[in-house]
Amino acid sequence: MARVVMQAVVSVDGFIAFPDDTVGPLFDWYFNGDTELTARPSGWTFRVSRTSHDYIQPFWDEIKVTVIGRHLFDTTNGWDGKPAAGDELVVVTHRPLPERWLADHPDAPFHAAGSAEEGIALARELAGDGLVCVTAGDLGGQAFAAGLVDEVAMDVVPVVLGEGVRFFGSHVGTVLLDDPDQVVQGDRVLHLHYTVKR
């Protein structure tokens, strides 16, 4: 059965972007090292510390399906039809994907779902026994609140944004996590991984 991990780069005060969706210094660590990190199948390359590479590359390579919300799809123009990580991508949306975008990207391995629950179920089916990555923010918070997330991965950057898009969206309530099973110090980033207590 597929595992579902909620993941994002996050500030110390819990934000994954400013209110206007820009990330400011949150992604600086992607470009401050001497070891190449590659996102597949998008082919994006970054230069990070060896320590960050050795943590992130296997994680990215294990992702079979990514689940995103419509807002991120619109903000990134659906990454031009190539998932940032994984073989397939599920977009949780209440509106059909734009016809023009679909015409421009007829072979894009993208699927639509009407709710976080439907999106995670579809992603699990597509992933088989692989890894499903759901993006943090409102969609991730909905999946987390519904008990659909098995693991939480945070790349914590030493910056305080003060406002913006929260890692867990508008999720309220208490959920216990196990102690972190991975704590990896990179250059200007701390990689943390938790399992959700069941």
Side-chain angles (χ1 to χ4, degrees):
M1 175 188 280
R3 295 167 18 241
V4 178
V5 60
M6 179 177 169
Q7 186 275 332
V9 177
V10 61
S11 67
V12 171
D13 56 342
F15 296 104
I16 60 174
F18 284 113
D20 66 356
D21 295 319
T22 59
V23 295
L26 288 178
F27 287 3
D28 288 355
W29 66 275
Y30 279 131
F31 307 99
N32 69 357
D34 57 7
T35 305
E36 186 171 284
L37 176 69
T38 304
R40 295 178 185 91
S42 65
W44 300 340
T45 58
F46 307 93
R47 298 205 66 84
V48 299
S49 70
R50 169 56 66 183
T51 304
S52 287
H53 170 275
D54 291 350
Y55 170 79
I56 295 288
Q57 191 70 69
F59 170 68
W60 283 359
D61 290 347
E62 192 179 356
I63 296 170
K64 299 296 182 198
V65 181
T66 299
V67 183
I68 68 172
R70 179 58 182 265
H71 182 73
L72 183 57
F73 174 89
D74 289 342
T75 301
T76 63
N77 190 38
W79 293 306
D80 293 324
K82 293 182 182 176
D87 302 321
E88 312 247 0
L89 191 137
V90 174
V91 182
V92 175
T93 180
H94 300 297
R95 298 171 283 135
L97 298 181
E99 289 183 23
R100 176 74 180 159
W101 187 92
L102 292 169
D104 288 345
H105 306 94
D107 298 324
F110 283 41
H111 311 270
S115 68
E117 291 82 1
E118 289 175 20
I120 297 296
L122 176 57
R124 281 184 185 272
E125 180 182 323
L126 293 168
D129 59 1
L131 185 67
V132 171
C133 183
V134 59
T135 54
D138 286 334
L139 172 64
Q142 291 171 35
F144 187 78
L148 303 174
V149 172
D150 303 307
E151 305 167 19
V152 174
M154 307 172 111
D155 302 311
V156 183
V157 175
V159 64
V160 174
L161 296 186
E163 63 177 344
V165 181
R166 294 200 165 278
F167 185 93
F168 289 99
S170 58
H171 168 74
V172 293
T174 302
V175 176
L176 292 178
L177 307 176
D178 285 329
D179 288 337
D181 52 53
Q182 293 183 43
V183 179
V184 178
Q185 184 175 341
D187 183 2
R188 302 293 299 159
V189 62
L190 180 66
H191 307 289
L192 301 173
H193 181 274
Y194 301 89
T195 299
V196 179
K197 277 187 174 282
R198 297 283 185 219

